[in-house]
Amino acid sequence: MTILTADVHFHDGYSVVHVAGELDVNTTSTLLDAMETALSNRPRFVEIDVAALTFCGSEGLRALLHVQRAALQAGCRLRLCHVHGVLQRVLDVTQLYKAFTIDPVQVPR
């Protein structure tokens, strides 16, 4: 069984969603629910911190694209931060990095 946690933290004008674990077909609802919560405060932008993400499958990518659309429809920007490992490789290979604003700060190795 795969596990994903998504904790939402509210700040002045923006929300941060910290995700940890595996983002796949079994866990996308966790991300979608967290994004709905993050958007509830009508932030200017939402940051998804993927530092603790250990896996991202095709359904995970689909969920990220879905939350990107949800943010745009809500009138705010979405930013991915601490992109690394499997997610970085998948975004590079599929060229989906072009679909997101990605914080250039990398996870310390």
Side-chain angles (χ1 to χ4, degrees):
M1 177 174 194
T2 55
I3 296 175
L4 181 79
T5 60
D7 300 315
V8 180
H9 300 273
F10 298 103
H11 302 277
D12 187 29
Y14 70 100
S15 300
V16 178
V17 179
H18 295 273
V19 294
E22 299 180 2
L23 183 56
D24 63 18
V25 68
N26 297 311
T27 62
T28 56
S29 63
T30 301
L31 175 62
L32 299 177
D33 291 345
M35 188 64 178
E36 186 176 321
T37 300
L39 291 173
S40 69
N41 265 13
R42 297 182 172 217
R44 289 189 313 272
F45 73 90
V46 174
E47 180 176 280
I48 299 180
D49 185 341
V50 296
L53 191 68
T54 58
F55 177 79
C56 184
S58 60
E59 287 298 316
L61 285 177
R62 186 180 185 141
L64 287 170
L65 289 168
H66 179 82
V67 299
Q68 170 77 310
R69 263 190 316 277
L72 289 173
Q73 289 173 349
C76 75
R77 294 175 288 133
L78 179 86
R79 176 173 66 200
L80 300 178
C81 70
H82 302 123
V83 176
H84 69 289
V86 172
L87 180 58
Q88 179 71 56
R89 287 190 296 278
V90 170
L91 290 173
D92 287 346
V93 167
T94 62
Q95 295 191 17
L96 282 173
Y97 64 87
K98 296 175 185 177
F100 297 98
T101 299
I102 299 176
D103 190 325
V105 177
Q106 297 295 315
V107 174
R109 299 191 197 284

